[in-house]
Amino acid sequence: MKATVEDITGVKKRLIVEIDSSEIDQRINEAYRTLAKRAKIPGFRPGKAPRKILESYYGPQLLEDLARDLVTETLPAAVQETETFPLSYPVIEKGNLKAGCEFRYTAVMEVKPQFELKDYMGLEVEKEIPRVTDEEVSKYLEEIRTAHGNLMPVEEDRGIREGDFAVIDYKAFEGGAPLEDVKAENFPLEVGSHKFHPDFERQLLGLKKGEEARFTVSFEEDFFHQKLAGKTVEFQVRVADIKLVELPDLNDEFAKNLGSEFQSLDDLREKIREDLEAREKKRVEQELKTRLLGKISATVDFELPESLVESELNRAVENVRQNLIRSGSDLEKAGISVQKMRDDLRPASEQRVKNMLILGEIARQNDITIGEEELNEGFRDLAVNLGQDPQVVRRYYEANQAVESFRERLLEEKTLNYLVSGAKIIEVEAEKLKSSEPEEVQMGVK
């Protein structure tokens, strides 16, 4: 067997494998001897049919099967010999298999790009000093209070005001024709929250329970609902009810009702501050890693394997799809175009792939690995976050052939921690950091 490699691009190779004619003849003869023992041909006893008869009956299929077997047997050895390791199964182009001739096939494959990283340790990087203000604690406390409020019908005879929850039935029309899936009954909308569209919510002000109205709203080109984006839509609305949130008093009793760990409102405030500080610290650490990896990424440029980009893009699209399903919706109901979503997500997916390849190369250069104990610890940490038993979590990953991908995530995080440990970190206030930072595409670090 002879194996050679041709470059198609920096990340796409053509592996050419040639098998000598003498070996081909030997394999063909062996195949016919094996076939003769089991072939049933009218007029001939088993094993007695002449070769010519066997060729006329089975020749094309035998040669096709043998060509496939030869590729299966020789491709791994050719890959090892040429050190051309594919990222996914290659596209095989086979020649014709004939007696007395060498057999030649090609395997077109994508491989990891070759690139050089220099001076990635000791980089200077800014880190935000995490702060949690009294105002942020109060805001979060108010959110908890609102979440424990009750929606109560408005008893007085009045129209909708800002802050009310309008319970509405609505239908949408474009050019007089109804828009599919843009309708609802008993839909609660907090007026003035801008959770739908400001103009739509303004049109509801003053309407009383039982009243109907028709009005038009012009939606921006980038409006989140694709079935409404860029359109001028007429709505038919009926107010089914008007409600207000009745909020509980903020006192010690309110705190005690949230759990036995709270004996007073001050206890609740302190717990909120601790949680916010932990969240801020995690955010700051993650943004530090993103910033540092961004600096390293900016120093090197290389071609990205399309198979890795497509895989990452598919994962990102599937995450959006699953999030919508968990919220009781789907892509069609949300009016989201899959193609537009893929176009929008592609830059971040490409950056994610670039980051992954850079971290993989840094890990290789510095012999950074994830051992079995670290893998077990990773599953234990994940189980704590999910509120599950570690063995149950691990069995789930094993059943879905996802253990190695989880190991890769742990390796990326370990490599990032290694880079941070060698960086020159300058702590700055958030205002200074934000004012000095150019707008960047999110690095996609997980």
Side-chain angles (χ1 to χ4, degrees), residues 396-419:
Y396 173 83
Y397 272 74
E398 289 172 345
N400 289 275
Q401 289 81 50
V403 173
E404 286 310 307
S405 64
F406 182 65
R407 189 193 297 270
E408 288 174 8
R409 282 166 50 193
L410 294 177
L411 180 60
E412 288 184 14
E413 192 64 27
K414 185 176 180 179
T415 306
L416 281 167
N417 291 336
Y418 170 76
L419 292 171

Side-chain angles (χ1 to χ4, degrees), residues 166 168 170-172 179 181-184 187-204 215-220 222-229 231 233-237 333-334:
I168 59 175
Y170 70 85
K171 297 178 181 178
L179 285 172
D181 296 327
V182 188
K183 59 183 178 180
F187 180 77
L189 177 62
E190 185 180 3
V191 179
S193 66
H194 296 180
K195 291 179 179 177
F196 182 54
H197 193 282
D199 289 346
F200 183 95
E201 295 173 25
R202 274 195 293 270
Q203 297 281 2
L204 300 178
F215 51 82
T216 59
V217 176
S218 295
F219 292 89
E220 298 81 1
D222 61 350
F223 190 67
F224 70 90
H225 198 310
Q226 289 298 306
K227 290 190 176 180
L228 297 176
K231 296 180 179 179
V233 178
E234 182 180 21
F235 287 92
Q236 178 182 319
V237 177
K333 289 179 183 177

Side-chain angles (χ1 to χ4, degrees), residues 220-264:
E220 298 81 1
E221 292 288 344
D222 61 350
F223 190 67
F224 70 90
H225 198 310
Q226 289 298 306
K227 290 190 176 180
L228 297 176
K231 296 180 179 179
T232 297
V233 178
E234 182 180 21
F235 287 92
Q236 178 182 319
V237 177
R238 176 183 173 276
V239 180
D241 205 352
I242 305 173
K243 295 186 177 183
L244 274 175
V245 179
E246 187 178 80
L247 298 176
D249 293 332
L250 279 179
N251 51 30
D252 292 345
E253 193 63 30
F254 172 75
K256 291 177 183 179
N257 288 335
L258 295 180
S260 57
E261 59 185 304
F262 306 120
Q263 296 302 311
S264 67

Side-chain angles (χ1 to χ4, degrees), residues 36 52 126 166 172 207 225 282:
K52 289 291 185 183
E126 292 181 329
L207 293 178
H225 198 310
K282 185 176 180 180

Side-chain angles (χ1 to χ4, degrees), residues 10-11 112-117 296-297 299-305 350-351 353-359 361:
V11 295
K112 286 185 178 181
Q114 299 295 314
F115 55 92
E116 187 176 4
L117 288 172
I296 298 171
S297 177
T299 66
V300 63
D301 191 27
F302 51 86
E303 184 180 356
L304 300 176
E350 290 175 345
Q351 187 63 63
V353 169
K354 185 178 182 182
N355 290 345
M356 177 185 67
L357 292 169
I358 289 173
L359 290 173
E361 178 61 18

Side-chain angles (χ1 to χ4, degrees), residues 318-330:
E318 185 59 24
N319 280 348
V320 174
R321 192 193 309 274
Q322 291 301 321
N323 287 338
L324 286 170
I325 290 173
R326 281 192 288 269
S327 66
S329 184
D330 57 36

